[in-house]
Amino acid sequence: MPAVAKPKMINCEPWSLSEILEKEKDLVGIYLSAHPLDGFQFEMNHYQFMPLGDLDGAKFKNRVLRLAGYIDNPQHLVSKKGTNYGRFKLIDYHGEQEFTLFKDDYIKFRDFMVKDNKVMISGMFQSRWNSETEFEFKIQRILLLENVKAQLTKKINIELTLQRLNDEVLD
């Protein structure tokens, strides 16, 4: 029998975490090694984001809420009238929610509608047009999650005992 040579591995750049997670999700159907939002644990824990699984229009009507997650399945569409609109899914640790943007909102926020973009959305539930029993979430602002710390932090509170307060700590 002739000797069979082992195939040679080509030297290439290692995959980024987002590429690894995308391949895991495609192959297995779930994330195994991490979650796409794991790099934003500080933001998730300190900026009062509402879990997507807890969203309820009747319960939170006319109250500004903050949501955080990553964009999935962004769609840039055209209506029968020829106007542009968009639809995307926001996914966090607790669930997912679909949002549709029309007219000015679509023009204002369409650049954020990129697959796997990690974003913070603030907005509120309001009554749907011509209905007082159905509610829709009106998006007021979208920020990239990486910019949340810089744009939303107004002050830092430091608590320590008087015994620890000395010249070295003050410097």
Side-chain angles (χ1 to χ4, degrees):
M1 293 290 291
V4 177
K6 290 184 179 180
K8 294 182 181 179
M9 294 296 292
I10 299 172
N11 287 336
C12 62
E13 293 292 319
W15 285 347
S16 68
L17 180 60
S18 61
E19 288 174 313
I20 292 171
L21 293 175
E22 182 181 333
K23 302 295 183 192
E24 283 179 1
K25 179 82 173 190
D26 289 342
L27 187 64
V28 183
I30 59 171
Y31 297 110
L32 293 174
S33 56
H35 190 276
L37 298 175
D38 285 350
F40 298 97
Q41 280 300 311
F42 181 85
E43 289 84 350
M44 300 300 283
N45 293 333
H46 293 93
Y47 288 92
Q48 290 98 29
F49 296 126
M50 172 71 62
L52 292 175
D54 294 347
L55 280 182
D56 180 6
K59 187 176 178 183
F60 298 109
K61 181 181 177 189
N62 297 326
R63 184 174 149 203
V64 176
L65 302 173
R66 287 183 183 162
L67 312 173
Y70 65 93
I71 303 285
D72 190 36
N73 194 25
Q75 300 173 9
H76 301 272
L77 306 163
V78 179
S79 71
K80 291 178 184 177
K81 295 180 182 178
T83 58
N84 293 328
Y85 71 101
R87 184 177 293 135
F88 66 92
K89 200 180 285 186
L90 185 69
I91 301 173
D92 72 359
Y93 291 108
H94 308 285
E96 59 186 48
Q97 185 71 37
E98 187 169 278
F99 296 95
T100 305
L101 299 172
F102 297 102
K103 300 180 182 177
D104 293 338
D105 289 338
Y106 175 71
I107 292 169
K108 190 172 167 184
F109 300 124
R110 67 181 170 201
D111 293 338
F112 291 100
M113 292 176 50
V114 175
K115 184 170 175 48
D116 294 327
N117 248 4
K118 282 74 172 175
V119 296
M120 181 217 72
I121 296 175
S122 61
M124 65 173 45
F125 280 102
Q126 59 189 26
S127 298
R128 283 191 174 211
W129 182 80
N130 213 7
S131 174
E132 292 190 25
T133 58
E134 294 181 26
F135 303 97
E136 67 181 348
F137 191 83
K138 174 76 170 157
I139 296 176
Q140 298 170 337
R141 183 179 186 189
I142 299 180
L143 286 175
L144 290 175
L145 212 45
E146 63 196 40
N147 298 334
V148 165
K149 216 184 293 184
Q151 293 194 18
L152 297 183
T153 304
K154 295 177 183 163
K155 63 181 179 177
I156 297 174
N157 292 329
I158 300 175
E159 295 181 18
L160 56 116
T161 61
L162 286 175
Q163 291 79 18
R164 293 198 58 207
L165 188 61
N166 57 33
D167 291 335
E168 184 180 338
V169 170
L170 290 175
D171 288 341

